[in-house]
Amino acid sequence: MADGDTNLPTIERKLGLQIWGIENMKMVPVPEKAYGTFFEGDCYIILHTKRTSRGSAVDLHYWIGKDSSQDEQGAVALYVTQLDNALRGNPVQHREVEGHESETFQSYFRNGIIYKKGGVASGFKHVETNMYNIKRLLHVKGKKHVSATEVALSWDSFNKGDVFLLDLGKVLIQWNGPNCSIAEKSRGLALARSIRDSERGGRAQIGIIDNEKDSPDLMQIMKMVLGERRGELREAIPDAKADELQKANVRLYHVYEKDNDLVVQEIATRPLTQDLLQHEDCYILDQGGFKIYVWRGKASSLEEKKAAFTRAVGFIQAKGYPSSTNIEVINDGAESAMFKQLFQRWTEKDETQGLGKVYTTGKIAKVEQVKFDTAQLHARPELAAEQRMVDDASGEIEVWRIEDLQMQPVNPKTYGQFYGGDCYLVLYTYLRSGRPHYVLYMWQGRHASVDEITACALNAIELDKKHGDEAVQVRVTMGKEPTHFLAIFKGKLVIYEGGTSRAQKSTPEPVIRLFQVRGTDETNTKATEVPARASSLNSNDVFLLTTSQVCYLWCGKGCSGDEREMAKMVADIVSKRDKHTILEGQEPAEFWEALGGKAPYASEKRFQEQITHYQPRLFECSNQTGRFIMTEVVGFCQEDLDEDDVMLLDTWEEIFLWIGKASNTYERNEAIASAKEYLKTHPAGRDLATPIILVKQGYEPLNFTGWFNAWDPYKWSDGKSYEEMKNSLGDVSAIAEIKVDLNNISLNKRTLSMTNLAGSSVASASPEYKSHFNHSDSNSYSNSGNYNSNSSPSLVPNGEEIYSREVLMNKTVDELPEGVDPTKKEYYLSDTDFHDIFGKSKDEFYQMPKWKQQNEKKQYGLF
């Protein structure tokens, strides 16, 4: 795709990432190996395309380096406008400023972002004749979104809470601050390995300092570069992040020009509704100064659309916000998930509205119920997630009532009957892969005391402990019972408005009661008590009216035969009196008398609810600083769940809290409070009664794992810990000496410790780029005389070169280097890496039966 009237290069229409830099005011493609590295003196354009259920989603970013020139910034903004036109206004556009990138931008670079000094002002070429002639210090920050900034080669750059990477070309030394978390150390190591494999072709050693006293050899190298350290290390400075309260402060402005002046008129605050956005206009949505959105209506003028970024920058200046504030420009009909969730309800134009598939009874239309096969749940966890079902509801149930702040067993004959004045614990046990799994529901009555609700939560913790801390805990607010909760009571769920199920009842039960019954089978039926008056009736449903003499089954004109059958089952629970079925319009006088006389009630046909499909979102939760801060992980996967994390997964209908095994006690204990705070501060004005589900690492139910693509149930048992990753960097026994030229001082008489300095005997398959974009240097990988011969390129039996494990493991055919046979990825590993991965030599491996070889290759991502 090219535009004849502009300087746009040909743009490939392909999935994934494409990046261009600005060179001599022209767009120049960046080679894929350099993705994630940005020069501070430059500007870049990033195009990302991904497949969605509705086709594809396109994001267009322009990135501004802190030292870039005004001319470059102007050129990159112009190119983005031209690209947007060429792509017919489909992309969501983003303005990114170095160090303040959006979560969407950061999600493209899983191993982290590296900021390098230099750019146009320093000659732009950056040709390095020797990749090993490097001496720099990188400050690595972040757990979920990692960035590495080049800082001064001095101990003054260090602090106690972050990871620092001393890059000396052939040696990368990772120094971990004493207050670093395991996740930060792991992310730092991933970045170090990425530099080793991408920039050095695998021909570099990584040394790790977790404790300075245990790493004298590595510390000596650091002192040779940085000098002796004087004084104490300073404390880490926490990032200035927006808290959820700030993000919740959304305001919508109408932006237009009047007599050559820009007019910004505030028209609404939280909660915002979709109908505020008129197709003829452009709007600015200010999310508490954290992010600025510009929405461009389909029918707005071309001039207005072109001025979007300019107006947003002007708005930021007028508000006194930092110049680094994120800007996102979105088009009418191509809104991002983040933008939609700032509104109370967002409906797509092609989503189900009106009646859908209906059949008619009299004048009342009824929406057809679509059933699903519960047997498919295990085979298709995404179905379990969509249907909010843990299993087929065939497990065992135990119920306790909270009485005098203690657990009191409930008579099994009354299972399914819940009173609004009580709190209950429901333990559901089911088998999966031959072992028991548990779901613990905490049902909170609307009229229960604060003490009872607190006691319910405390008793749940004790009950969970008795079951090995394996239970999934679900907070259920009366009236907001989740699908699976309904299903386990097999159509016999009855919710009484008040009162208690205790033997000693303080107040007598009312003689006349009215229940609304909704549901078509045993998995989705619930009877809810409503005020016993005529205005509570609804023509779409079945109602049970109980009196001292009789129980009426009142069938509205819109109810179905299935609903009538389910109501008959419930009627036997709520009343032992004779059952009288009456049809709407044929009620006896006694019926109206029991309800206190006739009155108008809902008789309009019930339209199918507009089903809004909200994209699930994953957040890292933190409130240790006293402020509730959430970091979103865009395009999340199972790898984003770290052992020392508390993560929040928002699927809109429920909130999951995932608790990592190594998460700190404070955040674990505050998890439920964090989820409540999240709902409370959500810009869309969320229902505070949304179910909150507590999930522990290693005991994830299907309705949680189904939201993740390709969930691996063995990850927690087979996945490598930080220590294992550290020890698997390579076998250093073959390394007799490493010579590092530091100010012409050779450290060639020292053999580095096995535990601290690890090498990878892997060679690069192709030369690394040496300048920003498409320049290369034929001498970049000439073997240096002082480099250990064990790390020089070697050949596998088929005559192909060796590649590092990162280049081969868990890669699709398209992601493999040219010439690699995808059916024999293991061939291309070095002997050291092969033995480290498989625990045996290549000869031993190939003597095994073929099926066994295949199984092991699958296990290690080499199939």
Side-chain angles (χ1 to χ4, degrees):
M1 179 189 75
D3 192 326
D5 301 326
T6 70
N7 293 320
L8 283 182
T10 299
I11 311 294
E12 287 185 70
R13 289 188 180 275
K14 64 176 185 179
L15 294 173
L17 207 55
Q18 297 179 72
I19 302 179
W20 297 265
I22 305 299
E23 185 173 358
N24 297 325
M25 300 304 150
K26 289 187 177 177
M27 283 173 64
V28 179
V30 173
E32 282 191 35
K33 282 192 174 182
Y35 285 6
T37 298
F38 297 90
F39 286 88
E40 296 181 328
D42 296 339
C43 292
Y44 295 81
I45 290 170
I46 295 92
L47 181 68
H48 183 260
T49 308
K50 66 178 178 183
R51 194 172 278 121
T52 67
S53 57
R54 300 167 62 81
S56 64
V58 184
D59 285 274
L60 181 60
H61 306 253
Y62 74 93
W63 184 91
I64 300 170
K66 67 182 180 69
D67 298 328
S68 60
S69 67
Q70 287 297 319
D71 286 346
E72 264 201 309
Q73 292 180 26
V76 78
L78 182 63
Y79 276 123
V80 164
T81 303
Q82 292 173 354
L83 266 170
D84 183 50
N85 290 337
L87 293 165
R88 299 179 182 174
N90 287 324
V92 174
Q93 297 176 56
H94 310 256
R95 172 181 172 265
E96 312 283 358
V97 177
E98 179 187 336
H100 302 273
E101 293 86 357
S102 65
E103 283 122 337
T104 302
F105 182 89
Q106 292 177 87
S107 73
Y108 305 147
F109 310 102
R110 306 290 295 186
N111 286 328
I113 297 168
I114 299 175
Y115 305 124
K116 286 188 176 178
K117 293 195 179 299
V120 174
S122 61
F124 200 72
K125 295 298 178 189
H126 297 284
V127 177
E128 294 162 14
T129 55
N130 190 338
M131 269 310 279
Y132 302 124
N133 186 21
I134 290 173
K135 192 159 47 170
R136 63 176 177 173
L137 181 64
L138 296 174
H139 181 187
V140 183
K141 294 198 72 157
K143 279 173 64 181
K144 288 289 173 267
H145 303 135
V146 179
S147 65
T149 309
E150 203 172 319
V151 291
L153 272 163
S154 163
W155 285 112
D156 293 338
S157 300
F158 286 70
N159 67 58
K160 293 179 182 178
D162 291 327
V163 173
F164 290 82
L165 202 57
L166 181 61
D167 184 358
L168 302 172
K170 287 182 181 172
V171 179
L172 293 155
I173 300 176
Q174 178 178 331
W175 183 94
N176 297 324
N179 299 339
C180 274
S181 68
I182 292 291
E184 287 169 321
K185 292 176 184 180
S186 299
R187 295 289 187 268
L189 180 51
L191 183 68
R193 287 164 64 155
S194 175
I195 293 171
R196 179 193 70 187
D197 297 331
S198 298
E199 292 190 18
R200 312 291 143 77
R203 297 184 298 176
Q205 275 66 50
I206 297 172
I208 296 176
I209 300 175
D210 276 322
N211 186 328
E212 292 183 350
K213 289 177 182 175
D214 297 337
S215 311
D217 299 317
L218 293 176
M219 283 305 297
Q220 182 171 353
I221 295 176
M222 290 193 73
K223 286 171 186 174
M224 297 296 293
V225 178
L226 305 167
E228 289 290 336
R229 189 168 69 222
R230 291 174 178 80
E232 285 291 308
L233 288 167
R234 58 190 172 85
E235 296 294 331
I237 301 167
D239 292 331
K241 289 186 178 178
D243 60 27
E244 295 310 292
L245 213 54
Q246 180 185 339
K247 292 181 191 176
N249 183 21
V250 290
R251 293 173 184 272
L252 189 68
Y253 298 85
H254 180 205
V255 186
Y256 58 96
E257 285 181 5
K258 187 178 181 183
D259 303 326
N260 293 326
D261 290 325
L262 184 66
V263 180
V264 180
Q265 179 186 3
E266 185 177 325
I267 56 172
T269 58
R270 170 192 176 201
L272 302 177
T273 53
Q274 191 180 354
D275 58 3
L276 291 166
L277 302 172
Q278 300 297 308
H279 300 296
E280 301 76 29
D281 293 317
C282 288
Y283 297 86
I284 283 179
L285 193 156
D286 178 3
Q287 193 181 3
F290 161 71
K291 193 169 190 175
I292 304 299
Y293 294 88
V294 184
W295 185 86
R296 306 189 297 189
K298 281 178 182 171
S300 60
S301 69
L302 195 60
E303 290 71 27
E304 275 197 301
K305 287 176 180 172
K306 281 183 177 177
F309 270 122
T310 312
R311 287 179 174 179
V313 172
F315 179 84
I316 286 169
Q317 291 167 346
K319 282 281 192 177
Y321 293 152
S323 58
S324 57
T325 304
N326 280 132
I327 298 172
E328 188 172 302
V329 175
I330 40 190
N331 295 308
D332 188 350
E335 294 85 359
S336 64
M338 291 178 191
F339 182 78
K340 292 174 190 174
Q341 290 201 14
L342 297 173
F343 290 78
Q344 202 163 28
R345 174 179 284 276
W346 189 279
T347 310
E348 304 293 348
K349 63 177 180 181
D350 57 349
E351 277 181 356
T352 308
Q353 295 186 45
L355 297 177
K357 295 179 182 176
V358 300
Y359 56 86
T360 306
T361 310
K363 293 181 179 178
I364 307 299
K366 190 67 183 177
V367 179
E368 188 177 347
Q369 295 282 337
V370 180
K371 292 186 180 181
F372 73 98
D373 181 6
T374 54
Q376 293 183 38
L377 292 176
H378 288 278
R380 295 179 55 205
E382 72 278 6
L383 183 70
E386 286 169 17
Q387 300 292 341
R388 272 75 184 176
M389 289 291 282
V390 173
D391 72 337
D392 60 3
S394 62
E396 299 293 321
I397 305 172
E398 288 179 87
V399 184
W400 295 266
R401 180 180 56 256
I402 301 301
E403 195 171 322
D404 297 327
L405 309 185
Q406 300 297 318
M407 289 167 56
Q408 187 67 35
V410 169
N411 185 343
K413 291 180 180 177
T414 63
Y415 280 6
Q417 298 179 48
F418 292 85
Y419 288 78
D422 286 332
C423 285
Y424 297 85
L425 286 173
V426 179
L427 180 67
Y428 177 76
T429 306
Y430 64 103
L431 289 176
R432 194 165 120 203
S433 303
R435 63 181 299 270
H437 287 67
Y438 310 99
V439 181
L440 182 54
Y441 291 103
M442 295 167 277
W443 191 91
Q444 301 171 356
R446 189 178 290 125
H447 307 294
S449 69
V450 175
D451 286 347
E452 284 177 318
I453 291 171
T454 306
C456 184
L458 293 174
N459 279 285
I461 293 168
E462 291 305 311
L463 190 56
D464 188 11
K465 281 180 184 172
K466 288 179 184 175
H467 291 84
D469 276 328
E470 296 180 12
V472 172
Q473 295 179 29
V474 187
R475 183 200 71 154
V476 180
T477 304
M478 177 176 168
K480 283 285 177 178
E481 292 76 19
T483 311
H484 187 257
F485 189 83
L486 269 61
I488 64 177
F489 289 105
K490 308 288 189 295
K492 297 179 180 179
L493 182 61
V494 181
I495 310 293
Y496 295 91
E497 175 58 32
T500 175
S501 58
R502 301 176 195 190
Q504 298 81 32
K505 301 188 180 184
S506 53
T507 53
E509 291 189 4
V511 176
I512 297 171
R513 296 185 115 145
L514 183 65
F515 297 88
Q516 183 176 23
V517 184
R518 296 195 67 180
T520 54
D521 60 39
E522 287 190 353
T523 66
N524 62 14
T525 298
K526 175 173 74 169
T528 308
E529 186 174 5
V530 293
R533 49 178 177 258
S535 58
S536 297
L537 297 173
N538 188 313
S539 295
N540 297 281
D541 297 318
V542 180
F543 285 78
L544 303 174
L545 177 63
T546 67
T547 68
S548 54
Q549 279 85 36
V550 70
C551 174
Y552 294 103
L553 273 80
W554 183 86
C555 302
K557 289 178 181 176
C559 75
S560 68
D562 287 341
E563 286 175 315
R564 284 196 289 273
E565 287 305 309
M566 293 313 299
K568 286 175 186 175
M569 183 193 292
V570 176
D572 289 331
I573 298 169
V574 299
S575 175
K576 302 302 177 198
R577 308 289 176 192
D578 289 340
K579 311 299 184 295
H580 288 194
T581 301
I582 53 175
L583 301 178
E584 183 179 2
Q586 299 176 20
E587 301 86 353
E590 294 81 15
F591 176 84
W592 296 118
E593 192 178 308
L595 289 175
K598 285 188 178 183
Y601 57 85
S603 57
E604 292 295 312
K605 55 189 174 185
R606 180 181 290 138
F607 285 86
Q608 182 171 344
E609 255 183 72
Q610 293 178 340
I611 302 168
T612 307
H613 294 285
Y614 289 99
Q615 190 173 313
R617 298 171 73 184
L618 184 71
F619 300 87
E620 178 197 5
C621 306
S622 172
N623 54 10
Q624 279 196 292
T625 58
R627 294 163 66 234
F628 179 49
I629 292 171
M630 299 189 69
T631 307
E632 181 162 8
V633 183
V634 178
F636 63 84
C637 63
Q638 188 181 0
E639 291 295 321
D640 294 309
L641 303 174
D642 285 314
E643 293 204 349
D644 61 345
D645 278 338
V646 172
M647 304 292 287
L648 185 148
L649 177 67
D650 180 5
T651 66
W652 202 264
E653 285 185 31
E654 65 232 331
I655 301 292
F656 288 97
L657 282 162
W658 183 87
I659 312 294
K661 283 177 183 171
S663 56
N664 73 61
T665 309
Y666 179 81
E667 288 185 353
R668 211 160 47 234
N669 293 342
E670 292 295 313
I672 296 291
S674 296
K676 289 178 180 175
E677 185 73 11
Y678 171 77
L679 288 169
K680 191 173 158 188
T681 58
H682 199 284
R686 297 282 287 280
D687 187 344
L688 300 183
T690 301
I692 296 171
I693 304 172
L694 208 65
V695 175
K696 275 74 150 256
Q697 178 187 335
Y699 303 102
E700 296 83 1
L702 287 174
N703 58 331
F704 175 82
T705 62
W707 296 108
F708 292 78
N709 187 30
W711 180 272
D712 176 9
Y714 303 106
K715 179 186 185 313
W716 311 130
S717 54
D718 294 346
K720 288 192 174 181
S721 67
Y722 164 68
E723 289 298 328
E724 287 168 331
M725 285 199 310
K726 189 169 125 182
N727 294 332
S728 70
L729 285 169
D731 179 13
V732 298
S733 59
I735 300 177
E737 58 182 44
I738 290 179
K739 297 175 181 177
V740 183
D741 184 15
L742 304 172
N743 300 323
N744 296 320
I745 297 172
S746 177
L747 299 178
N748 60 349
K749 294 181 181 178
R750 186 173 300 277
T751 302
L752 292 176
S753 156
M754 274 186 74
T755 55
N756 292 324
L757 190 58
S760 175
S761 53
V762 190
S764 169
S766 58
E768 178 59 70
Y769 82 106
K770 289 300 165 291
S771 76
H772 274 33
F773 309 127
N774 53 359
H775 313 288
S776 63
D777 187 338
S778 59
N779 297 322
S780 60
Y781 278 143
S782 59
N783 272 331
S784 174
N786 61 2
Y787 194 71
N788 187 278
S789 62
N790 284 5
S791 295
S792 61
S794 60
L795 302 178
V796 289
N798 61 0
E800 299 292 341
E801 286 190 19
I802 283 175
Y803 294 91
S804 72
R805 63 180 75 189
E806 283 76 17
V807 172
L808 300 168
M809 291 171 77
N810 299 308
K811 299 294 182 189
T812 62
V813 176
D814 296 335
E815 292 171 327
L816 289 171
E818 195 172 337
V820 169
D821 182 348
T823 65
K824 298 176 181 177
K825 294 180 193 174
E826 75 283 1
Y827 270 11
Y828 303 86
L829 289 166
S830 68
D831 290 343
T832 303
D833 273 358
F834 191 100
H835 196 280
D836 182 48
I837 292 167
F838 291 99
K840 56 180 73 70
S841 69
K842 287 183 179 177
D843 287 341
E844 290 170 329
F845 179 84
Y846 292 122
Q847 284 168 14
M848 293 184 346
K850 194 80 175 171
W851 64 267
K852 208 166 184 180
Q853 292 179 30
Q854 304 286 42
N855 282 350
E856 289 205 8
K857 283 161 68 172
K858 284 179 186 174
Q859 187 180 346
Y860 297 112
L862 288 162
F863 183 68

